[in-house]
Amino acid sequence: MTSSKIDQTEAVEQRYGAAAQMREPCLCTPVGFDPRWLKAIPQEVVERDYGCGDPTRWVRCGDRVLDLGSGSGKNAFICAQVVGAEGSVTGVDRNTEMLQLSRSASAAVAAAIGYTNVQFIDGAIEALDAPDPSGDPLVDDASIDVVLSNCVLNLVNPSARDRLLSNIRRVLAPAGRIAISDIICDQPVPVHLQRDPELWSGCISGAWQEDEFLKAFEQLGFEQVRYVDRSVEPWRELEGIKFYAATLVGQLPGRSSGCC
C-alpha cells in the first residue's frame, strides 16, 4: 500500500479527538460486551469506545496486558478486572483527548474494583521502541503476556506496519499471545481509496487483506494464528471490496508464566 502519511495521521487525530468529546456512531461497528465488566466503568468511557470486536475475551487472570490504541480506556478497564490485582494493563494511545478521558476515569475504576493495575501512556502504537523520558523503550522487551487491540491496527500507515509488527513481537514474553479485533477485506484496497482521509479514519481504507493479516503474524513466529470471530455479512462494501469485522488470535512458542 502507498498513501499520504500526513493526511492519514491528521485525519485520525482530528476524528478521534472529536469522538472523545462526543460519541460518533459511524466509527467502527457495534459490539456487545459482558455487562458485568461495565458496571465499574464510567458511562462516558463506555459511550466513547469504538471497536469492531471483543479481544478482552482472550485475556486471563494474572496477564500483563498491552492495549494498543486504548482510546477511551474501556477495553483496558475490562482487562483490569479480568487479570485481577496480580495482573497489569498498559494502554497506549497518541490522541490527547482520548488519553485525558481514560486517565480521568482511572481513579473511579480503581475505587470500584478495589485495586489499581492500569496505566495509560502517550505514544504511537507502531513506535513502542521509542524512548520514554528516562531513555528506555516505551514498552520493554518480553514484558507483556498478551497484546490486544480493537479496530486500531488498520489506522497505522502502511509504511510503519513492519515496525508495528516487529514491536508487537518484541514486547511479548515467551508463549505471549495476541488478540486483535480489526477490519479485514477480501481484496486489495486501491490507492485512491487509501488516500481518502474520511475512509481511512473511518477504519475502512486501511483494512488489511484477510489472508495477508494472517500471514503477517505467522511470519513473526506466531502459532495457531486464526480468526476466532468473523462477521458473516460484510460490514461495508465499497467498489466491490467487502470489509468484515474479525478477531485474530495466535501464540508464540514457549511456556506461559501466568498465575491461572
Side-chain angles (χ1 to χ4, degrees), residues 29 52 183-184 229-236 243-247:
T29 66
C52 58
I183 300 298
I184 56 175
D229 288 315
R230 183 184 180 279
S231 57
V232 176
E233 298 297 327
W235 167 56
R236 291 283 301 273
F243 297 85
Y244 299 87
T247 298

Side-chain angles (χ1 to χ4, degrees), residues 13-167:
E13 288 297 301
Q14 292 173 8
R15 191 164 186 175
Y16 281 84
Q21 306 299 324
M22 181 178 295
R23 176 164 180 79
E24 183 184 339
C26 295
L27 277 175
C28 295
T29 66
V31 179
F33 287 79
D34 189 329
R36 62 178 165 160
W37 304 126
L38 302 181
K39 296 177 182 178
I41 305 175
Q43 190 61 31
E44 61 268 23
V45 169
V46 175
E47 291 176 349
R48 294 167 196 168
D49 172 71
Y50 306 100
C52 58
D54 181 8
T56 68
R57 294 193 296 113
W58 304 93
V59 174
R60 305 169 185 164
C61 170
D63 275 341
R64 298 166 295 175
V65 177
L66 179 64
D67 181 10
L68 300 180
S70 49
S72 72
K74 187 179 85 172
N75 287 262
F77 291 135
I78 290 173
C79 290
Q81 299 170 74
V82 175
V83 303
E86 302 85 0
S88 64
V89 183
T90 299
V92 179
D93 206 291
R94 68 185 304 168
N95 187 278
T96 302
E97 289 82 2
M98 284 295 187
L99 283 169
Q100 289 174 345
L101 178 59
S102 59
R103 287 170 171 171
S104 66
S106 293
V109 173
I113 66 178
Y115 51 85
T116 300
N117 64 353
V118 183
Q119 64 170 337
F120 295 98
I121 57 180
D122 186 353
I125 65 170
E126 67 270 24
L128 303 176
D129 53 349
D132 65 14
S134 67
D136 296 323
L138 201 63
V139 181
D140 290 336
D141 294 5
S143 62
I144 300 297
D145 296 310
V146 57
V147 171
L148 62 84
S149 69
N150 200 343
C151 212
V152 176
L153 268 57
N154 69 81
L155 298 174
V156 173
N157 188 277
S159 65
R161 286 182 175 175
D162 285 346
R163 186 181 184 187
L164 168 69
L165 294 168
S166 176
N167 269 303

Side-chain angles (χ1 to χ4, degrees), residues 1 5 8 11 30 64 73 80-81 154 164 171 180 187 208 215 235 252:
M1 292 184 176
K5 189 171 184 178
Q8 290 170 353
R64 298 166 295 175
Q81 299 170 74
N154 69 81
L164 168 69
V171 302
I180 297 171
Q187 55 186 295
W208 299 60
K215 188 181 299 182
W235 167 56
L252 290 172

